[in-house]
């Protein structure tokens, strides 16, 4: 772990020397964005998602109900909020070098953790349109995708589902045929702006495609304020982490690197946590 952190820190320092945009933005209080009050009726009008206990357990939705198992994601939540608030960021992407790093599972868990802060309103959109990753993790089925929403075939309010009163999911139930073209289209920008203006979330999270699997993310990430890079312990190599972070920093602000699928012994509370 120390070796990994040292290597990432060294790569960041070298990159920061070449690319000043990697430095966190320092905003005055007047420059920080203040969210407008959302229309609660628009949020509660959406159908509520139902997730059974078997799905919660088998798909490792550890932060669904809070408690000890949710502690790692609650810590990540706090760090995310500190960064977004201090920098005035509203749009956060989660991506990975390759598939299999637990990106969709982490997106869902972070959403549930943020949702337990009832003064926040969180919108979660699955833009990894080649698969139904987030819908599969949540155990949901349906007929459309976010690609259909962007192309105007279905309205977002007829497609989205709600968790509690302050988290909205836009999922993919089928794979889109041309995700790269959809994500780089003017329609995507306009649809996203319309959704954001309608629901006025405090934070929008995007589950985005892996960086090295296709060019899907490369055309879209310029539309977000920042991104988290998910990597898998004992699977993602240091070379791939460095390359992915370098590519990501050319597209948006890198909020951080999350080492996923690792096990450690906490001991902080006298318990051992197996952490995904």
């Amino acid at each position: 772990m120390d070796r990994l952190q040292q290597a990432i820190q060294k790569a960041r320092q070298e990159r920061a020397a070449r690319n000043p945009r990697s430095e966190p933005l320092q905003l005055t209080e007047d420059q920080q964005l203040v969210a407008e009050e959302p229309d609660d009726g628009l949020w509660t009008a959406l159908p509520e998602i139902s997730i059974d206990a078997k799905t919660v357990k088998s798909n490792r939705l550890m932060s669904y109900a809070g408690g000890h198992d949710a502690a790692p994601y609650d810590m990540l939540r706090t760090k995310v909020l500190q960064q977004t608030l201090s920098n005035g960021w509203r749009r956060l992407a989660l991506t990975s070098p390759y598939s299999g790093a637990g990106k969709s599972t982490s997106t869902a868990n972070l959403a549930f953790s943020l949702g337990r802060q009832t003064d926040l309103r969180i919108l979660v959109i699955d833009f990894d349109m080649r698969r139904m990753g987030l819908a599969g993790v949540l155990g949901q089925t349906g007929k459309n995708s976010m690609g259909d929403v962007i192309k105007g075939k279905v309205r977002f309010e007829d497609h989205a589902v709600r968790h509690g009163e302050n988290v909205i999911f836009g999922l993919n139930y089928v794979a889109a045929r041309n995700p790269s073209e959809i994500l780089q289209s003017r329609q995507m920008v306009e649809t996203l702006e319309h959704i954001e203006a309608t629901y006025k979330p405090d934070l929008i999270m995007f589950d985005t495609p892996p960086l090295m699997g296709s060019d899907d993310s490369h055309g879209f990430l310029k539309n977000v304020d920042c991104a988290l890079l998910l990597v898998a312990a004992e699977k993602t190599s240091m070379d791939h982490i460095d390359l992915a972070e370098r590519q990501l920093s050319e597209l948006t602000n890198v909020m951080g690197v999350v080492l996923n699928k690792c096990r450690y012994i906490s001991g902080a509370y006298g318990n051992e946590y197996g952490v995904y």
Side-chain angles (χ1 to χ4, degrees), residues 70-110:
Y73 285 104
D74 291 346
M75 292 173 64
L76 179 61
R77 171 189 65 189
T78 300
K79 293 180 182 296
V80 165
L81 290 176
Q82 287 174 345
Q83 289 255 22
T84 52
L85 289 173
S86 64
N87 290 290
W89 291 337
R90 292 272 186 82
R91 297 179 176 182
L92 165 67
L94 286 87
T95 189
S96 59
Y98 293 101
S99 62
K103 175 172 56 65
S104 296
T105 301
S106 296
T107 301
N109 276 303
L110 184 56

Side-chain angles (χ1 to χ4, degrees), residues 53-75:
K54 183 179 179 181
T55 298
V56 170
K57 182 177 181 180
S58 61
N59 290 352
R60 296 176 178 271
L61 299 177
M62 300 164 61
S63 69
Y64 181 75
H68 283 167
D69 289 344
Y73 285 104
D74 291 346
M75 292 173 64

